[in-house]
Amino acid sequence: MTAMQNVSLGAHYAIHLPAPDDFTFWRERARGLIQCDVPPDRVSWIEPGGTGDLFALEGPTRSEKRLPVPGSDARPVRASKRFLKLARNAALHSDPQRFGLLYRMLWRLQLNPRAMEDSADPDVRRIEELDKEVRRDSHKMHAFVRFREVGDDHYVAWFEPDHHIVRANAGFFMRRFANMQWSILTPRGCIHWDGETMRESGPARREDAPQDDPTEELWKSYYASIFNPARLKVGAMLSEMPKKYWKNMPEAELIPGLIAGAQAREAGMVAAGEREVKAVPENLAAVAQGISDCRDCPIADCGTRAVMGEGAADAPLMIVGEQPGDQEDKQGRPFVGPAGQLLNQCLEHAGIDRSAAYVTNAVKHFKFKWKGKRRIHQTPTAKEVDTCRWWLEAERNLVKPRLVLALGASAARGLLGRTVSIGKERGRPIPLEDGSELWVTVHPSYLLRLDGPASDQQGQLFARDLAAVRARLVELAE
């Protein structure tokens, strides 16, 4: 028995897809129909909600039990890797003719395996167009989904895709926001992630999603700060960020004002770049004002506040960290986050009174990148540390500590102007030009990232370094 013996002469078949993005279902049915020699003009592919075929033998009520069944001797179906790659994406398009187009191309590939190599072929070109439009829609989803907190650490976003891309892009958001509980609502269906499992639900309405949340002011402040008027190209920006997505993006309300003020801001940047010599601050208040106004490196444009050092103005000990963290930026004080709390415990254990010391950072602004709703610390570059060194030196000149404790390599560079190996430099004094001593150890945040034996070992070394600093302070005081 041949495959054609299973096919009714003149029969027309309708395949009802269970979902508009079910490429696997289409692939299995298409393979069977090809093996039964059912030509493309006798097959209708109908997605949920689509119009049926008056001439079709099959329908949703009679399922697909009457579809021809390939014989055991049916020849294998051939499809190039290029076709499968494009077809998988093109199947997500909203064009109702896409599955028929893909089946016609698959039929042709059985006769001409190189058919996909003809870039002028209308079917090939149309499949490429569908693939491109789906990829562009996916890119917009990756770029313009904006989560808003709705309570209990759950975030919800609203997005309106042009094509059936939601389920296909669930993995991207799951990997990127793995630690968040979130939902993406769309008119084509929704996806939900609870930190462990992905769940799907039916279409949603715009009013089902929240309109704003408390963190949006922080995000808008950050966006305004990184908006570079010198690189503004309105046409390119509107092409990359179409206005149809603006209603879901909190920063969109800033864009008209930022564009209108771009020329003035650019002139201000040029004028600031001409400044070469700063006045030496006469007191710590002047340093605080200076770092607040400073825009000499990109970190200052991150939208964060400058965090001034604090402590006794004539402290014998100056403790220097790397840069403010998330909590330090929010509170405007150095070492108040988790690393600061660990530092306080270790200082107390070593017999060092933090309130009698002056605590500051080598870099005065918080450098970070967004990961979902969280701001993730980024290590400042050597150039950024060197740029901020002028302010650290100003603090040292005013406080005049007898001993400076650098926490981490960035802090040590801020004081020495060179790259420092903590392992080689820790545990001994390094003379500074003003007669004071520099001691180097690790940053407490490094200890927070360790666990097990490494945590115990490095914790003991840190305690030993602080004990040595404590002993040296006693010697210097005598």
Side-chain angles (χ1 to χ4, degrees):
M1 179 182 291
T2 65
M4 284 298 291
Q5 290 178 288
N6 293 322
V7 181
S8 301
L9 293 176
H12 196 121
Y13 298 93
I15 312 300
H16 292 262
L17 292 107
D21 59 348
D22 199 336
F23 177 75
T24 301
F25 181 91
W26 171 86
R27 185 178 179 180
E28 292 177 353
R29 296 299 185 276
R31 181 188 293 119
L33 291 169
I34 291 285
Q35 290 179 317
C36 291
D37 290 326
V38 179
D41 60 356
R42 294 191 181 182
V43 182
S44 295
W45 301 89
I46 304 171
E47 58 186 285
T51 304
D53 191 324
L54 295 177
F55 303 101
L57 293 179
E58 307 304 326
T61 57
R62 288 183 287 178
S63 185
E64 296 177 353
K65 60 185 179 182
R66 296 177 58 189
L67 284 178
V69 179
S72 59
D73 58 345
R75 65 180 184 278
V77 177
R78 295 178 298 187
S80 64
K81 291 182 179 179
R82 171 172 160 73
F83 170 76
L84 289 175
K85 181 179 179 182
L86 293 176
R88 190 180 298 279
N89 228 24
L92 305 180
H93 202 278
S94 54
D95 184 344
Q97 306 301 319
R98 63 193 182 284
F99 289 112
L101 168 66
L102 296 177
Y103 184 68
R104 183 166 66 246
M105 197 69 223
L106 182 61
W107 173 271
R108 293 176 55 195
L109 286 172
Q110 309 315 302
L111 303 174
N112 179 13
R114 302 172 67 89
M116 285 297 296
E117 298 176 15
D118 183 0
S119 58
D121 184 281
D123 285 347
V124 174
R125 291 179 59 184
R126 182 55 183 158
I127 292 174
E128 290 175 339
E129 289 173 358
L130 298 181
D131 166 68
K132 183 178 180 180
E133 290 168 10
V134 167
R135 284 190 287 110
R136 181 174 176 79
D137 202 26
S138 295
H139 170 72
K140 299 303 181 190
M141 185 176 181
H142 295 176
F144 299 140
V145 160
R146 296 288 185 270
F147 288 105
R148 293 179 166 94
E149 188 171 8
V150 295
D152 297 329
D153 293 327
H154 189 192
Y155 297 86
V156 175
W158 171 256
F159 187 72
E160 297 178 42
D162 290 331
H163 308 294
H164 306 287
I165 62 169
V166 177
R167 184 157 47 184
N169 285 282
F172 169 85
F173 290 96
M174 184 182 69
R175 292 187 295 273
R176 186 168 186 179
F177 304 110
N179 297 324
M180 291 171 50
Q181 298 181 47
W182 50 260
S183 298
I184 299 179
L185 312 184
T186 88
R188 295 179 181 273
C190 308
I191 50 176
H192 312 269
W193 172 252
D194 63 4
E196 296 182 354
T197 58
M198 184 70 71
R199 181 172 59 83
E200 299 178 23
S201 65
R205 299 173 301 173
R206 176 68 183 89
E207 51 267 34
D208 295 331
Q211 301 300 311
D212 54 30
D213 74 3
T215 64
E216 288 198 352
E217 289 304 317
L218 184 62
W219 164 249
K220 287 191 286 189
S221 175
Y222 171 76
Y223 181 83
S225 69
I226 63 171
F227 187 88
N228 189 343
R231 302 180 64 182
L232 175 62
K233 294 183 179 179
V234 176
M237 186 180 73
L238 291 176
S239 174
E240 183 61 25
M241 187 190 295
K243 283 191 174 181
K244 64 171 286 187
Y245 300 107
W246 285 26
K247 58 182 177 295
N248 302 324
M249 302 165 61
E251 68 271 27
E253 66 181 58
L254 305 176
I255 293 176
L258 292 171
I259 293 175
Q263 187 173 3
R265 284 192 63 195
E266 183 178 4
M269 291 169 63
V270 173
E274 294 174 347
R275 185 182 62 191
E276 296 181 353
V277 180
K278 299 183 180 72
V280 177
E282 297 181 351
N283 50 52
L284 292 175
V287 175
Q289 185 61 52
I291 63 175
S292 179
D293 296 338
C294 181
R295 294 295 182 271
D296 288 352
C297 79
I299 304 179
D301 287 329
C302 286
T304 57
R305 70 169 75 183
V307 178
M308 180 62 181
E310 67 176 22
D314 57 351
L317 172 64
M318 174 181 278
I319 300 174
V320 182
E322 180 194 76
Q323 65 165 338
D326 182 74
Q327 289 300 316
E328 285 77 11
D329 174 58
K330 292 176 179 175
Q331 299 186 38
R333 296 181 55 206
F335 280 99
V336 292
Q341 294 170 20
L342 177 59
L343 175 64
N344 292 342
Q345 295 172 10
C346 294
L347 289 174
E348 183 178 2
H349 183 75
I352 299 174
D353 182 5
R354 170 172 167 165
S355 65
Y358 184 88
V359 182
T360 189
N361 285 292
V363 175
K364 306 306 181 185
H365 286 80
F366 177 33
K367 183 179 181 181
F368 66 94
K369 70 175 182 180
W370 287 95
K371 185 174 183 180
K373 291 286 185 177
R374 298 175 58 202
R375 300 189 298 174
I376 305 300
H377 163 273
Q378 297 288 288
T379 301
T381 65
K383 183 177 181 180
E384 290 163 345
V385 173
D386 293 344
T387 300
C388 226
R389 191 181 179 204
W390 196 88
W391 297 112
L392 180 60
E393 289 298 311
E395 287 180 287
R396 280 187 56 213
N397 291 335
L398 291 166
V399 178
K400 300 184 186 307
R402 303 188 69 179
L403 191 152
V404 181
L405 174 62
L407 304 177
S410 295
R413 183 182 180 91
L415 291 154
L416 295 174
R418 62 176 173 82
T419 301
V420 174
S421 170
I422 301 296
K424 294 180 180 178
E425 306 281 6
R426 71 189 307 174
R428 64 180 180 84
I430 302 173
L432 297 177
E433 292 181 354
D434 62 357
S436 62
E437 294 179 359
L438 172 65
W439 289 64
V440 176
T441 187
V442 297
H443 196 282
S445 62
Y446 168 68
L447 302 177
L448 291 174
R449 295 194 295 271
L450 300 175
D451 56 16
S455 177
D456 296 338
Q457 180 186 20
Q458 290 300 318
Q460 292 172 9
L461 290 174
F462 188 64
R464 188 187 66 182
D465 290 342
L466 294 185
V469 167
R470 161 66 177 163
R472 183 58 179 157
L473 283 171
V474 172
E475 291 178 3
L476 293 173
E478 294 176 351

